[in-house]
Amino acid sequence: MNSANSSSDATVVFIWSIPRTCSTALLKCLTFVDDVDAWMEPYQSAHFNDTWYNPEFRKGDPVAERMRADLAKNEGSESMKALRREIQEKLKILPNLIAQKDISYQWIKKQLELPIQGKSFVIVKDHSSAIVDHFHDLPDVPNCRHVLLIRHPRELYVSYKAMIWKRLGLDNLSWESCDVVDNVPFMPVKDLYQIQNRLWKHLEKSSEDKPILLDTFDLCSKPEIILPKLFEKLGIPYKESYLEWEAGDAVLESKLKGSAEMILLETKTNVMERAVRSSQFEPPKQPWGTAARSDLEITPELEEIIDAAMPYYEEMFASRLL
């Protein structure tokens, strides 16, 4: 991953996330850093082309077919049709936006290896599950750093289920009957922490600079302490002004590179809307290690995957940035 193939001196900083680890808020913060180029989940977009948008993916599987039917119904709504028209118009005028269908793993690798003039850092926020079987598609660049985001499984999985419950239109099911593992065929829900742990250990061996583990409870609880330490580790000059940034989605539309659907559509859903509205890191509402939503109980399928995730989380937590 670290070679002299690229003529760019910019440092590529990967922010590897699992869902609900405040990665979009961190990316938004980093877009305000001087001399930065920023990407929004290009590898996840390629993964979606292989799964979510691929009509052959798990063809005949009742869960996958139901998901396709729900998405098709959603696409037929007047609000979605209007949003699709907006996406097409903005694709014509905003060079940072790329048509979802044009993104592939090989294309991303080539883009990230291109020389970047006038930029000191290239920030790439993405999902670990989208790259863990595609290490060969990481760019060959001379300067590369990796940050891996973690969060206590009890906090994360309740938040994730609540998000999926609404985003995929599963709120016609009761909270208890909605099984977050069975109803999300494009995401390895029960293996998220195992995958993050695997990526961490791979990078420990393959990277010249040790990957940084960042628990987002620490970041959101004390950003004035953790953010300067993160910047120091990455070699990014720190300013206190980076603790606050512009609210709203205008900066994301104009500055982030990536799929137009990811930047213009997903940022308007409950997946990212809170982060998009943000202007700073918000303190956690619940104590560390407790469910992110006190009004939602931890259902049996959540208990099972939380228990399975804990050993992987605890190993990474012990090595996190302090």
Side-chain angles (χ1 to χ4, degrees), residues 167-219:
R167 177 65 182 94
L168 296 187
L170 301 174
D171 45 2
N172 60 315
L173 302 174
S174 69
W175 174 256
E176 292 76 17
S177 62
C178 174
D179 189 315
V180 74
V181 177
D182 290 342
N183 284 288
V184 190
F186 57 85
M187 180 68 74
V189 178
K190 65 180 181 180
D191 296 324
L192 293 174
Y193 285 83
Q194 181 183 5
I195 288 169
Q196 191 76 324
N197 190 280
R198 177 184 161 197
L199 175 58
W200 168 50
K201 290 179 177 177
H202 171 80
L203 295 172
E204 283 269 323
K205 295 177 181 178
S206 63
S207 300
E208 292 180 11
D209 294 297
K210 293 290 186 182
I212 301 165
L213 286 165
L214 178 62
D215 194 297
T216 52
F217 189 93
D218 293 332
L219 175 62

Side-chain angles (χ1 to χ4, degrees), residues 49-98:
N49 281 338
D50 290 346
T51 56
W52 191 326
Y53 299 120
N54 179 4
E56 298 301 315
F57 173 68
R58 289 176 59 171
K59 190 172 184 178
D61 181 308
V63 174
E65 296 296 349
R66 185 173 65 245
M67 181 195 74
R68 290 191 184 93
D70 290 341
L71 290 173
K73 182 179 178 180
N74 187 43
E75 287 289 327
S77 69
E78 291 304 315
S79 60
M80 184 57 73
K81 289 178 181 178
L83 185 53
R84 290 292 181 192
R85 289 192 292 270
E86 178 187 346
I87 288 173
Q88 291 305 311
E89 290 302 313
K90 290 189 174 179
L91 271 169
K92 298 175 184 177
I93 59 175
L94 294 175
N96 56 302
L97 300 180
I98 301 111

Side-chain angles (χ1 to χ4, degrees), residues 11 15 20 48 81 118 121 124 126 135 151 169 187 239 246 289 304 308 312:
T11 297
I15 309 294
R20 319 312 288 169
F48 280 166
K81 289 178 181 178
F121 298 92
V124 185
D126 225 308
F135 291 143
R151 186 182 182 188
M187 180 68 74
K239 296 179 182 179
E246 179 185 328
E304 183 178 344
Y312 299 107

Side-chain angles (χ1 to χ4, degrees), residues 126-195:
D126 225 308
H127 285 257
S128 54
S129 59
I131 198 62
V132 74
D133 293 322
H134 290 268
F135 291 143
H136 57 282
D137 289 314
L138 286 168
D140 292 319
V141 291
N143 306 304
C144 190
R145 299 301 311 274
H146 298 271
V147 180
L148 292 90
L149 303 182
I150 57 174
R151 186 182 182 188
H152 193 289
R154 196 165 288 270
E155 301 169 22
L156 182 144
Y157 275 120
V158 172
S159 175
Y160 183 70
K161 180 171 179 174
M163 179 272 290
I164 287 294
W165 195 34
K166 182 177 179 181
R167 177 65 182 94
L168 296 187
L170 301 174
D171 45 2
N172 60 315
L173 302 174
S174 69
W175 174 256
E176 292 76 17
S177 62
C178 174
D179 189 315
V180 74
V181 177
D182 290 342
N183 284 288
V184 190
F186 57 85
M187 180 68 74
V189 178
K190 65 180 181 180
D191 296 324
L192 293 174
Y193 285 83
Q194 181 183 5
I195 288 169

